[in-house]
C-alpha cells in the first residue's frame, strides 16, 4: 500500500510540475503580446500583394473626375481655376516652331501641352464646361 501512495504522490507532483512551465526570468511569453504562435515560433500570415497598395491609394487621392468637379466650382476665368486644373494635369508645354499652328486638343490632358495660360484655361473649359450632366434616374 505504501508503494501505491508513493507512486500516486509522484504522479501528482510530476503533473503539477508539467503544468507550471514558467518562462525564464526577464522574458515574457510570446502569447502575451498578441502574436499567434505555432509551437514556439510566431505564426507567419501572408496577405495578397495588392492589399496595402490598393488601400492607401484609394484613401489618399480622389479620382480625377472629383478633382475636376472641384475645379469647376471655382469662378471661371480666374488664375485659381487654372491652378486647380494644373494641379490635376501638370503643364508640360511643347516647344513649337515660330508661326506653327498648334493642333487642337483631343483630350483634356492635351490641354497641359499649351504654353499660354489663357489658351490652357480656355482649352480646359472647352472640355469640362460642355461635359453632359448626369441624367436623373427615374
Amino acid at each position: 500500500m505504501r508503494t501505491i501512495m508513493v507512486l500516486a504522490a509522484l504522479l501528482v507532483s510530476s503533473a503539477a510540475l508539467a503544468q507550471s512551465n514558467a518562462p525564464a526570468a526577464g522574458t515574457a511569453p510570446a502569447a502575451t503580446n498578441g502574436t499567434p504562435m505555432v509551437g514556439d515560433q510566431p505564426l507567419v500570415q501572408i496577405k495578397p500583394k495588392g492589399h496595402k497598395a490598393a488601400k492607401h491609394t484609394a484613401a489618399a487621392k480622389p479620382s480625377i473626375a472629383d478633382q475636376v468637379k472641384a475645379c469647376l466650382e471655382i469662378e471661371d476665368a480666374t488664375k485659381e481655376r487654372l491652378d486647380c486644373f494644373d494641379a490635376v494635369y501638370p503643364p508640360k508645354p511643347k516647344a513649337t516652331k515660330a508661326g506653327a499652328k498648334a493642333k487642337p486638343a483631343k483630350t483634356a490632358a492635351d490641354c497641359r501641352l499649351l504654353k499660354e495660360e489663357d489658351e490652357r484655361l480656355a482649352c480646359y473649359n472647352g472640355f469640362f464646361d460642355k461635359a453632359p450632366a448626369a441624367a436623373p434616374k427615374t
Side-chain angles (χ1 to χ4, degrees):
M1 181 90 162
R2 192 173 208 184
T3 54
I4 295 175
M5 290 179 105
V6 172
L7 185 59
L10 185 61
L11 286 174
V12 170
S13 65
S14 64
L17 285 175
Q19 289 180 357
S20 65
N21 244 353
T27 63
T32 60
N33 65 8
T35 306
M37 301 294 286
V38 176
D40 61 345
Q41 299 292 321
L43 176 66
V44 177
Q45 296 177 352
I46 300 173
K47 294 186 172 121
K49 281 189 175 186
H51 179 69
K52 274 188 180 177
K55 187 177 181 181
H56 291 301
T57 57
K61 192 174 181 183
S63 69
I64 291 178
D66 290 339
Q67 293 175 21
V68 168
K69 285 179 188 176
C71 294
L72 292 174
E73 293 176 3
I74 300 172
E75 186 179 343
D76 191 14
T78 60
K79 177 79 169 132
E80 290 81 21
R81 190 172 195 178
L82 177 64
D83 291 341
C84 184
F85 284 130
D86 285 346
V88 177
Y89 297 109
K92 292 184 180 178
K94 255 186 166 176
T96 57
K97 294 182 181 178
K101 189 173 182 181
K103 293 181 182 178
K106 293 180 182 177
T107 65
D110 292 342
C111 295
R112 68 188 180 147
L113 302 175
L114 298 172
K115 187 173 185 176
E116 294 296 320
E117 290 181 351
D118 293 336
E119 291 176 5
R120 200 163 61 243
L121 182 58
C123 181
Y124 286 129
N125 287 337
F127 279 101
F128 299 123
D129 283 344
K130 68 180 178 185
K137 293 181 180 180
T138 56

